[in-house]
Amino acid sequence: MTATRAFGGSVGALVVAGTVALLARQPWLFPSLGPAIMLHIEKPDQPESSPRNSVVGHLVALLTGYALLVVTGLAGHPSALQEGFSVPRIIAAAGSLAVTAALLALLNASHPPAGATTLLVSLGLLKTPAQLVIAFAAVLLVTALDLLFNRATGRQMPLWRAPSRKEDSNGGPDRRPVGAADTVRAG
Protein backbone atom coordinates (compact mmCIF):
# COMPACT_ATOMS: atom_id res chain seq x y z
CA MET A 1 0.00 0.00 0.00
CA THR A 2 2.88 2.43 0.69
CA ALA A 3 4.24 2.24 -2.86
CA THR A 4 0.76 2.71 -4.28
CA ARG A 5 0.18 5.77 -2.07
CA ALA A 6 3.56 7.24 -2.98
CA PHE A 7 2.88 6.72 -6.67
CA GLY A 8 -0.68 8.07 -6.54
CA GLY A 9 0.10 11.10 -4.42
CA SER A 10 3.15 12.05 -6.46
CA VAL A 11 1.58 11.64 -9.87
CA GLY A 12 -1.63 13.38 -8.81
CA ALA A 13 0.04 16.53 -7.51
CA LEU A 14 2.43 16.83 -10.45
CA VAL A 15 -0.20 16.16 -13.10
CA VAL A 16 -2.39 18.94 -11.68
CA ALA A 17 0.54 21.38 -11.37
CA GLY A 18 1.76 20.35 -14.82
CA THR A 19 -1.66 20.91 -16.32
CA VAL A 20 -1.76 24.39 -14.81
CA ALA A 21 1.74 25.01 -16.23
CA LEU A 22 0.62 23.84 -19.66
CA LEU A 23 -2.52 25.96 -19.68
CA ALA A 24 -0.89 29.04 -18.17
CA ARG A 25 2.39 28.62 -20.08
CA GLN A 26 4.20 29.44 -16.85
CA PRO A 27 6.69 27.54 -14.63
CA TRP A 28 4.26 25.82 -12.25
CA LEU A 29 6.66 22.85 -12.16
CA PHE A 30 10.14 23.20 -10.73
CA PRO A 31 12.53 20.64 -9.22
CA SER A 32 12.07 21.31 -5.50
CA LEU A 33 8.37 20.50 -5.71
CA GLY A 34 9.39 16.84 -6.07
CA PRO A 35 11.01 16.46 -2.66
CA ALA A 36 8.29 18.59 -1.04
CA ILE A 37 5.60 16.28 -2.45
CA MET A 38 7.54 13.21 -1.36
CA LEU A 39 7.77 14.55 2.21
CA HIS A 40 4.06 15.35 2.23
CA ILE A 41 3.09 11.90 0.99
CA GLU A 42 5.66 9.73 2.76
CA LYS A 43 5.82 11.53 6.13
CA PRO A 44 2.68 13.68 6.42
CA ASP A 45 2.76 13.81 10.23
CA GLN A 46 6.32 15.17 10.51
CA PRO A 47 6.88 18.87 11.22
CA GLU A 48 9.06 19.24 8.08
CA SER A 49 6.10 18.03 5.99
CA SER A 50 3.48 20.30 7.52
CA PRO A 51 1.76 22.91 5.36
CA ARG A 52 3.23 25.64 7.59
CA ASN A 53 6.80 24.50 7.11
CA SER A 54 6.29 23.94 3.38
CA VAL A 55 4.75 27.35 2.80
CA VAL A 56 7.08 29.30 5.10
CA GLY A 57 10.11 27.34 3.89
CA HIS A 58 9.58 27.99 0.21
CA LEU A 59 8.52 31.62 0.77
CA VAL A 60 11.71 32.33 2.74
CA ALA A 61 13.74 30.47 0.10
CA LEU A 62 12.25 32.42 -2.81
CA LEU A 63 12.69 35.79 -1.13
CA THR A 64 16.20 35.03 0.12
CA GLY A 65 17.37 33.69 -3.24
CA TYR A 66 16.07 36.81 -4.97
CA ALA A 67 17.58 39.13 -2.36
CA LEU A 68 20.99 37.52 -2.91
CA LEU A 69 20.60 37.91 -6.69
CA VAL A 70 19.97 41.62 -6.19
CA VAL A 71 22.74 42.10 -3.61
CA THR A 72 25.32 40.42 -5.85
CA GLY A 73 24.19 42.34 -8.95
CA LEU A 74 23.03 39.20 -10.77
CA ALA A 75 19.31 39.92 -11.03
CA GLY A 76 19.59 40.94 -14.69
CA HIS A 77 22.09 38.25 -15.67
CA PRO A 78 21.39 34.98 -17.47
CA SER A 79 21.28 31.86 -15.31
CA ALA A 80 24.42 30.12 -14.12
CA LEU A 81 23.72 27.41 -16.70
CA GLN A 82 24.02 29.99 -19.48
CA GLU A 83 26.56 32.40 -18.04
CA GLY A 84 28.70 30.04 -16.02
CA PHE A 85 29.92 30.48 -12.48
CA SER A 86 31.63 33.51 -11.02
CA VAL A 87 32.55 34.72 -7.55
CA PRO A 88 29.29 36.73 -7.26
CA ARG A 89 27.28 33.65 -8.29
CA ILE A 90 28.98 31.50 -5.67
CA ILE A 91 28.32 34.21 -3.07
CA ALA A 92 24.66 34.34 -4.13
CA ALA A 93 24.27 30.56 -3.96
CA ALA A 94 26.13 30.03 -0.69
CA GLY A 95 24.58 33.09 0.90
CA SER A 96 21.04 32.19 -0.11
CA LEU A 97 21.34 28.67 1.27
CA ALA A 98 22.97 29.83 4.50
CA VAL A 99 20.46 32.63 5.12
CA THR A 100 17.50 30.39 4.24
CA ALA A 101 18.73 27.67 6.61
CA ALA A 102 19.32 30.18 9.41
CA LEU A 103 15.94 31.90 8.99
CA LEU A 104 14.07 28.59 8.89
CA ALA A 105 15.88 27.49 12.06
CA LEU A 106 14.91 30.76 13.77
CA LEU A 107 11.31 30.35 12.60
CA ASN A 108 11.24 26.68 13.62
CA ALA A 109 10.11 25.92 10.06
CA SER A 110 12.53 23.31 8.76
CA HIS A 111 11.68 22.17 5.22
CA PRO A 112 14.73 20.72 3.41
CA PRO A 113 13.28 21.13 -0.13
CA ALA A 114 13.45 24.90 0.45
CA GLY A 115 17.21 24.56 0.11
CA ALA A 116 16.73 23.54 -3.51
CA THR A 117 14.28 26.38 -4.09
CA THR A 118 16.68 29.07 -2.88
CA LEU A 119 19.42 27.65 -5.13
CA LEU A 120 17.07 27.65 -8.14
CA VAL A 121 16.59 31.36 -7.58
CA SER A 122 20.15 32.34 -6.69
CA LEU A 123 21.46 30.39 -9.69
CA GLY A 124 19.09 32.44 -11.85
CA LEU A 125 16.80 29.63 -13.00
CA LEU A 126 13.77 31.39 -11.47
CA LYS A 127 14.52 35.08 -11.21
CA THR A 128 11.71 37.40 -12.19
CA PRO A 129 9.17 38.54 -9.62
CA ALA A 130 6.42 36.93 -11.75
CA GLN A 131 8.26 33.59 -11.74
CA LEU A 132 8.69 33.79 -7.97
CA VAL A 133 4.97 34.45 -7.46
CA ILE A 134 4.10 31.52 -9.74
CA ALA A 135 6.55 29.24 -7.92
CA PHE A 136 4.97 30.20 -4.60
CA ALA A 137 1.49 29.58 -6.02
CA ALA A 138 2.71 26.13 -7.16
CA VAL A 139 3.88 25.38 -3.61
CA LEU A 140 0.46 26.39 -2.27
CA LEU A 141 -1.26 24.24 -4.90
CA VAL A 142 0.72 21.03 -4.32
CA THR A 143 0.59 21.47 -0.54
CA ALA A 144 -3.21 21.74 -0.68
CA LEU A 145 -3.44 18.78 -3.06
CA ASP A 146 -1.21 16.67 -0.83
CA LEU A 147 -3.23 17.61 2.24
CA LEU A 148 -6.42 16.54 0.49
CA PHE A 149 -4.80 13.34 -0.81
CA ASN A 150 -3.52 12.40 2.64
CA ARG A 151 -6.87 13.05 4.27
CA ALA A 152 -8.70 11.09 1.54
CA THR A 153 -6.39 8.11 1.99
CA GLY A 154 -6.60 8.05 5.77
CA ARG A 155 -3.24 9.64 6.58
CA GLN A 156 -3.23 12.54 8.98
CA MET A 157 -1.47 15.63 7.71
CA PRO A 158 -2.05 18.67 9.92
CA LEU A 159 -4.10 21.50 8.49
CA TRP A 160 -1.29 23.93 9.25
CA ARG A 161 1.36 22.94 11.81
CA ALA A 162 2.48 19.56 13.12
CA PRO A 163 3.32 19.24 16.79
CA SER A 164 7.06 19.62 17.25
CA ARG A 165 8.94 16.62 18.53
CA LYS A 166 9.17 18.32 21.92
CA GLU A 167 5.40 18.60 22.24
CA ASP A 168 3.24 15.91 23.77
CA SER A 169 0.76 13.79 21.85
CA ASN A 170 -2.05 16.26 22.58
CA GLY A 171 -0.29 18.88 20.45
CA GLY A 172 0.77 21.16 23.27
CA PRO A 173 4.05 21.61 25.06
CA ASP A 174 4.76 19.29 27.97
CA ARG A 175 4.47 21.66 30.93
CA ARG A 176 4.94 19.09 33.70
CA PRO A 177 7.88 19.69 36.04
CA VAL A 178 11.05 17.89 35.05
CA GLY A 179 10.84 14.29 36.23
CA ALA A 180 7.06 14.40 36.77
CA ALA A 181 6.44 12.11 33.82
CA ASP A 182 8.71 9.48 35.36
CA THR A 183 7.11 9.33 38.80
CA VAL A 184 4.42 6.87 39.71
CA ARG A 185 1.74 7.96 42.14
CA ALA A 186 0.91 5.54 44.91
CA GLY A 187 -2.56 5.00 46.11
Side-chain angles (χ1 to χ4, degrees):
M1 182 67 172
T2 302
T4 304
R5 283 190 77 264
F7 180 88
S10 297
V11 77
L14 282 182
V15 164
V16 171
T19 301
V20 173
L22 184 65
L23 295 173
R25 298 178 190 260
Q26 296 293 328
W28 282 73
L29 288 180
F30 58 96
S32 48
L33 287 180
I37 291 167
M38 290 178 73
L39 272 176
H40 295 159
I41 301 303
E42 294 175 11
K43 300 177 181 188
D45 59 340
Q46 296 299 306
E48 295 83 7
S49 304
S50 72
R52 176 193 178 272
N53 287 29
S54 297
V55 169
V56 170
H58 288 283
L59 180 61
V60 166
L62 290 163
L63 295 174
T64 301
Y66 188 73
L68 266 290
L69 275 182
V70 171
V71 166
T72 56
L74 296 169
H77 285 242
S79 76
L81 296 177
Q82 297 167 319
E83 186 175 63
F85 285 87
S86 61
V87 171
R89 185 69 71 182
I90 294 167
I91 291 169
S96 71
L97 184 61
V99 171
T100 296
L103 287 173
L104 294 183
L106 288 171
L107 296 169
N108 193 25
S110 175
H111 185 68
T117 298
T118 202
L119 287 176
L120 286 169
V121 178
S122 63
L123 294 174
L125 300 168
L126 294 172
K127 64 181 180 180
T128 68
Q131 289 172 334
L132 302 181
V133 168
I134 291 165
F136 186 65
V139 168
L140 294 175
L141 175 66
V142 299
T143 302
L145 291 169
D146 292 342
L147 175 65
L148 293 172
F149 176 81
N150 279 315
R151 295 289 173 118
T153 59
R155 297 285 304 268
Q156 291 303 308
M157 183 175 182
L159 290 175
W160 181 240
R161 184 178 186 157
S164 71
R165 289 178 182 95
K166 293 180 183 176
E167 293 177 351
D168 69 10
S169 61
N170 294 325
D174 186 353
R175 288 191 165 78
R176 294 175 290 182
V178 175
D182 301 324
T183 60
V184 177
R185 291 183 103 152

